[in-house]
């Protein structure tokens, strides 16, 4: 139901957003390409000065630049979703936390201490940082600035939806929506589908919410 409502809101809001593109562009910050980074197992991370001390990667999993979208992953899968991906492919792992485990795509791809962010770490990013809708190299998303002034850029990479009837998948919201996986899942009451937590944003609205496990989402790794 959440996805249906999101799609409905998008259809209405997109026309409003794009019709006023020239006006909105005056209010969109152009994000610099670099901030102060550190190397962790061959990949760049940023210390945002957060209480937990966790470092956030400068780019999405399978991307090489902050503004690149990278690949899209279903929760618990260590390889990207494909054009042929259906609910029946998903299995119940029997655990609710996969950060740093064999089911963590970030750990699988980057190794070392890299992993998917937990619910607590994503909440910290939302609550302790300053968020500003911005642009980098022609890609829209959020500039997220930590208490120490360092920042990361989260591009609006959209997400991969599953069409149960056609047994195919398709992209939605590229350029206006961002959905970033969290390593924590939960079982929704009265539902046969397993659900997960993710970071969702659309233009000036960002928050953590429930999402379908079988969809494909961006991953922004973290490290100690």
């Amino acid at each position: 139901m959440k996805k249906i409502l999101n799609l409905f809101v998008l259809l209405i809001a997109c026309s409003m957003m794009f019709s006023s593109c020239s006006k909105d562009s005056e209010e969109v910050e152009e994000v610099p390409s670099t901030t102060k980074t550190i190397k962790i197992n061959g990949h760049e991370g940023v210390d945002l000065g957060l209480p937990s001390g966790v470092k956030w990667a400068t780019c999405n999993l399978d991307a090489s630049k902050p503004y690149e979208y990278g690949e899209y992953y279903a929760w618990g899968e260590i390889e990207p979703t494909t054009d042929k991906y259906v609910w029946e492919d998903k299995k119940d792992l029997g655990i609710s936390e996969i950060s740093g485990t064999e089911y963590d795509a970030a750990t699988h791809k980057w190794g070392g201490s890299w992993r998917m962010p937990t619910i607590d770490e994503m909440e910290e990013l939302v609550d302790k940082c300053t968020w500003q809708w911005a642009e980098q190299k022609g890609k829209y998303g959020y500039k997220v600035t930590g208490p120490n002034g360092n920042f990361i850029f989260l591009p609006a990479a959209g997400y991969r939806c599953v069409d149960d009837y056609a047994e195919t998948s398709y992209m939605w919201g590229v350029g206006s929506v961002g959905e970033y996986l969290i390593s924590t899942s939960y079982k929704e009451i009265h539902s046969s589908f397993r659900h997960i937590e993710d970071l969702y944003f659309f233009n000036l609205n960002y928050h953590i919410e429930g999402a379908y496990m079988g969809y494909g989402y961006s991953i922004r790794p973290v490290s100690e």
Side-chain angles (χ1 to χ4, degrees):
M1 180 62 70
K2 182 214 71 169
K3 294 297 179 186
I4 295 175
L5 290 175
N6 282 342
L7 295 181
F8 179 72
V9 170
L10 274 173
L11 290 174
I12 297 175
C14 280
S15 60
M16 298 173 60
M17 180 178 66
F18 293 128
S19 64
S20 58
C21 182
S22 60
K23 177 179 182 296
D24 291 345
S25 64
E26 298 176 0
E27 303 171 1
V28 175
E29 178 178 350
E30 173 66 29
V31 179
S33 298
T34 59
T35 186
K36 187 176 181 180
T37 63
I38 55 177
K39 281 279 189 178
I40 304 173
N41 202 42
H43 298 277
E44 288 190 338
V46 178
D47 181 358
L48 297 173
L50 297 169
S52 68
V54 71
K55 315 302 188 296
W56 284 82
T58 58
C59 60
N60 289 350
L61 194 61
D62 298 308
S64 59
K65 302 293 183 182
Y67 53 85
E68 294 177 349
Y69 295 150
E71 295 289 352
Y72 303 84
Y73 291 80
W75 189 90
E77 299 290 338
I78 58 176
E79 296 297 336
T81 60
T82 65
D83 290 335
K84 193 83 169 175
Y85 196 86
V86 295
W87 279 109
E88 286 72 19
D89 292 335
K90 285 306 303 166
K91 54 185 177 296
D92 188 341
L93 302 178
I95 57 177
S96 60
E97 179 57 66
I98 62 172
S99 184
T101 71
E102 62 183 305
Y103 304 110
D104 186 329
T107 299
H108 174 72
K109 290 293 183 68
W110 285 11
S113 58
W114 289 107
R115 54 182 176 77
M116 290 169 58
T118 64
I119 180 66
D120 290 339
E121 290 161 345
M122 192 65 86
E123 287 178 342
E124 181 182 61
L125 189 74
V126 170
D127 295 337
K128 302 296 184 181
C129 293
T130 300
W131 291 62
Q132 180 173 355
W133 187 246
E135 178 185 359
Q136 188 176 86
K137 303 297 183 181
K139 301 291 180 65
Y140 288 97
Y142 266 103
K143 178 186 179 185
V144 184
T145 305
N148 64 1
N150 289 335
F151 65 86
I152 58 174
F153 180 70
L154 298 176
Y159 56 94
R160 187 177 291 282
C161 302
V162 175
D163 187 329
D164 297 326
Y165 298 101
E167 296 187 351
T168 60
S169 61
Y170 57 93
M171 293 305 303
W172 183 264
V174 176
S176 59
V177 172
E179 293 231 28
Y180 284 79
L181 271 180
I182 296 174
S183 60
T184 308
S185 75
Y186 66 93
K187 197 95 166 191
E188 187 177 77
I189 299 175
H190 307 308
S191 174
S192 60
F193 295 122
R194 196 163 178 85
H195 285 63
I196 58 172
E197 302 275 13
D198 76 350
L199 167 69
Y200 172 83
F201 64 75
F202 170 53
N203 205 347
L204 301 181
N205 178 23
Y206 60 92
H207 58 272
I208 293 172
E209 65 180 16
Y212 291 135
M213 176 180 283
Y215 283 16
Y217 306 99
S218 303
I219 293 179
R220 179 58 63 95
V222 298
S223 180
E224 314 310 329

